[in-house]
Amino acid sequence: MANYRVDDIRSIALVGHEVAGKTSLADALLFKAKAVDRRGSVEDGSSVSDFDEEEKRLKYSIDSSVLHMDFQGKRIYVLDTPGKPDFVGQALGALNAVETAVIVISAPAGIQVNTRRMFNEAGKRGLARMVVINRLDGDNIHFNDLLKAIRDTFGKGCVLFNAPVGVGASFSGVVGVLSPPATAPAGCPVDLGAARSQLIDAIVESDEALMEKYLAEGEVSADEIAAALPGALAAGTVIPIFCTSAKKDKDIGVAELLDAVTQFAPSPLKGPKRKGTKGAGDKATEVVLEPNETSEFVGYIFKTLSDKFVGNLSYFRVLSGKLIGDQPIFNQRTGKSGRSSGLLLIQGKTQKAVPEAIPGDIVAVAKVEDLHIGDTISNHAGGPRLPKPSYPTPMFGLAVEPKARGDEQKISGSLQKMSDEDPTFKITRDMQTKELVITGMSQLHLDAIQKRLKSRFDLEVVTKEPKIPYRETITMMGEADHRHKKQSGGRGQFGEVHLRVYPLKDLGISTAEQLVEKFANKSKFEKLRNAHYDADYNFAFLDHIVGGTIPTQFIPAVEKGCKELLERGALAGYRIQDVGVEVHFGKDHPVDSSEAAFKTAGRMAFKKAFLAARPVLLEPIVNIEVTVPSKYTGAILGELNTKRARIENQDSLPGDLAVIIGKAPLAEMTRYAAQLGSITQGQGSYTMEFSHYDIVPGNVQQQIVSKAKLAADEEE
Ligand SMILES: Nc1nc2c(ncn2[C@@H]2O[C@H](COP(=O)(O)OP(=O)(O)OP(=O)(O)O)[C@@H](O)[C@H]2O)c(=O)[nH]1
Ligand SMILES: [Mg+2]
């Protein structure tokens, strides 16, 4: 039996921009809480958190890692996450498993791209938030400017909880704001009295009774404040700021941070309640998952890892009820049940068996098949299911082929395993070129994947130039027909299809409901017999045959033929979307007609009609956010102009930084990391995330189409 209760559990995710010191803080907290005997460190590869060979070699985090410590009767889970935007998938997964996000900021570098992003992602999930200003022993720190920047950027709820004594080389300690000493210690850059009022104002604001007392008596006690803090954090009205240095042998402010997490971070009882759905369709009901041990067991898979030694590891957070080690694990997505070899408590790369898990616990099971990130598990069928988590759409694609002959099978299997672990990494087969394509957040992301393929599966691939996932669609109605007729010894082939195509997007259709309401109905197509909708392609197939000109048994074949073209493309070999097909006439032959004949006729007629409907290529447009020292703004804007980018906003940030926000075609951004690095001597950072598809300009389209040179579409 666990020697702690649900209310004793704290779970925090260390998030923020790269090199802010998250992993170092994690190692420092473990050591401070005596969860480890030795203080791990990124520099010498002894970090408990960055335990992967690649992480040790590169000295930065690639995966999120799960750590735990017991301190002052509390069980604290710490999820350390990568700060590089390339590995954002891991950070988002960790945020789905905790109550509190600790946003770590490097004092010299200030607020960076991923600082803002993670702060917002935590806010979206209703998590409590804490801010840690780390690296206060660094150079060029303008503490009060940074403090102002944090409050300007993240709101007045951000209030100092402790202040530094000295900054830079003279950073020697922290002083509490709640009960400050009568005189501020030398070298403290903050007006502690003013900071204390800001803190109290923010706290009483979240607690009516306390507000009344404060207004009436002008004062509240430190105990009353301490009692109100967890609620204020959980409500998001107070975001305490802590000061630290996680430089090994310094570890200043780490003990104070550990104390604050222990005392004030909300437990699962105070954190955001997760909601699930029970039943399906119109019988579906929403269920709030109560974090108490007596409810039915519900767990949420937030991370998976295929470990060399223990095989599949599935990490989950218990949301309600209790799980005993040998109980069956039922997956609500697959409807299948599995049995694990017991529950595992994780400490970086090591696992320890534990008998049970209660709400708030973050544990893992090994070797339970087919557990994916986002799955809801319970003890039995019919339990609540949590919504699928959302992840950014990976956009950066490379065609790959095995370096060594005969590795094809092994490669796609291993890549699939890695895709299961990382929702921002996908593998697909290009219908046109038949190539295997891996898609991730960036070149760096795919480099890390390839290194893993080698280190974990001893497989190597050769990559080709980035593949931009263009799309094809039409901009007006078109119609065509095709007769497929073949006479070759014995039974011939005959099928004739007449159809029209419609630009669904221009008709305002992108859902099944809109399709029926605005298009696939009898007022539009009087003799409409049937309509099928495929959301993946926003594609509609309407059977508007009158008088059986195409025998009903061949209609599915016509539809199949049309759908084949969706993947093959007609203009340049890219996926087709936003098109409606109306089959309205045809001819058959009593002997020679067959499904195969009508499939071909359908595909060819669709292709002809598509090419007659002023087809266009669509290109993926990405949101970009570029943060650079202000002196490079002009150069960055100039560079982006050559990339058909549209600048939406430009802002100056404290620390003499500028942020440029806009949209740009992905095709122009595939090598941006290197270009930004050379313009800003490595001082710039950026994120790029899929925004929408837009029509490719004519001249660019021509180049792509001529380069594609589609192989002639043979009639089978
Ligand atoms: N001087 C100083 N160095 C620090 C401090 N915190 C971390 N470092 C060093 O900064 C480097 C990066 O630290 P990490 O802990 O790996 O940073 P991170 O935030 O985990 O970085 P990512 O994993 O890439 O997101 C390491 O060399 C650390 O030793 C600090 O407070 N002061
Ligand atoms: Mg790290």
Side-chain angles (χ1 to χ4, degrees), residues 99-101 103 119 122-131 151 154-159 199 201-207 228-241 264-266 270-272:
E99 254 74 48
T100 303
I103 294 101
F119 185 88
K124 268 194 238 163
R125 290 162 173 77
L127 304 183
R129 291 175 284 196
M130 294 179 163
V131 169
R151 288 168 58 82
F154 299 135
K156 295 288 175 273
C158 295
V159 285
L199 176 61
D201 290 354
I203 294 171
V204 295
E205 214 175 281
S206 65
D207 185 314
L229 253 175
L233 259 79
T237 47
V238 172
I239 301 167
I241 304 172
F264 307 125
K270 291 211 174 66

Side-chain angles (χ1 to χ4, degrees), residues 33-311:
K34 299 193 173 34
V36 292
D37 310 329
R38 233 183 102 219
R39 160 65 153 97
S41 126
V42 174
E43 265 118 31
D44 63 15
S46 64
S47 164
V48 180
S49 180
D50 281 5
F51 59 83
D52 177 83
E53 289 313 315
E54 262 315 279
E55 292 178 323
K56 287 185 189 168
R57 194 176 68 81
L58 297 164
K59 297 196 185 314
Y60 56 70
S61 309
I62 297 174
D63 291 322
S64 63
S65 59
V66 177
L67 311 165
H68 72 275
M69 56 198 83
D70 294 311
F71 187 69
Q72 294 175 351
K74 307 294 183 222
R75 160 59 56 90
I76 302 167
Y77 292 102
V78 176
L79 275 53
D80 176 29
T81 73
K84 283 186 185 303
D86 317 80
F87 307 122
V88 68
Q90 293 285 319
L92 297 177
L95 285 176
N96 295 337
V98 297
E99 254 74 48
T100 303
V102 176
I103 294 101
V104 183
I105 298 176
S106 154
I111 299 170
Q112 298 168 285
V113 174
N114 233 15
T115 319
R116 280 194 300 277
R117 181 174 192 176
M118 289 300 132
F119 185 88
N120 298 335
E121 289 290 342
K124 268 194 238 163
R125 290 162 173 77
L127 304 183
R129 291 175 284 196
M130 294 179 163
V131 169
V132 171
I133 303 178
N134 185 43
R135 307 186 77 113
L136 277 160
D137 60 297
D139 302 330
N140 299 326
I141 296 170
H142 309 285
F143 188 79
N144 285 313
D145 289 355
L146 176 58
L147 199 53
K148 183 173 177 312
I150 291 171
R151 288 168 58 82
D152 291 351
T153 312
F154 299 135
K156 295 288 175 273
C158 295
V159 285
L160 265 187
F161 195 83
N162 58 32
V165 178
V167 295
S170 65
F171 178 46
S172 60
V174 293
V175 55
V177 165
L178 201 50
S179 323
T183 45
C188 176
V190 172
D191 169 349
L192 291 173
R196 186 171 188 278
S197 327
Q198 266 180 5
L199 176 61
I200 299 214
D201 290 354
I203 294 171
V204 295
E205 214 175 281
S206 65
D207 185 314
E208 239 171 271
L210 212 55
M211 173 71 95
E212 269 168 37
K213 180 164 186 282
Y214 188 48
L215 293 175
E217 300 168 20
E219 191 44 71
V220 282
S221 72
D223 291 351
E224 285 166 324
I225 291 285
L229 253 175
L233 259 79
T237 47
V238 172
I239 301 167
I241 304 172
F242 300 88
C243 299
T244 62
S245 163
K247 184 171 173 46
K248 196 173 174 190
D249 309 329
K250 277 195 181 277
D251 287 354
I252 298 169
V254 175
E256 290 78 1
L257 177 62
L258 181 57
D259 283 342
V261 167
T262 308
Q263 285 174 47
F264 307 125
S267 81
L269 298 178
K270 291 211 174 66
K273 293 270 172 12
R274 270 79 174 188
K275 295 190 181 103
T277 309
K278 251 191 177 171
D282 42 19
K283 291 207 181 57
T285 53
E286 189 179 71
V287 187
V288 175
L289 301 171
E290 292 300 336
N292 60 49
E293 296 179 42
T294 52
S295 309
E296 62 176 320
F297 163 66
V298 177
Y300 174 78
I301 308 280
F302 67 93
K303 177 182 168 69
T304 62
L305 189 69
S306 56
D307 183 275
K308 233 183 196 160
F309 306 103
V310 292

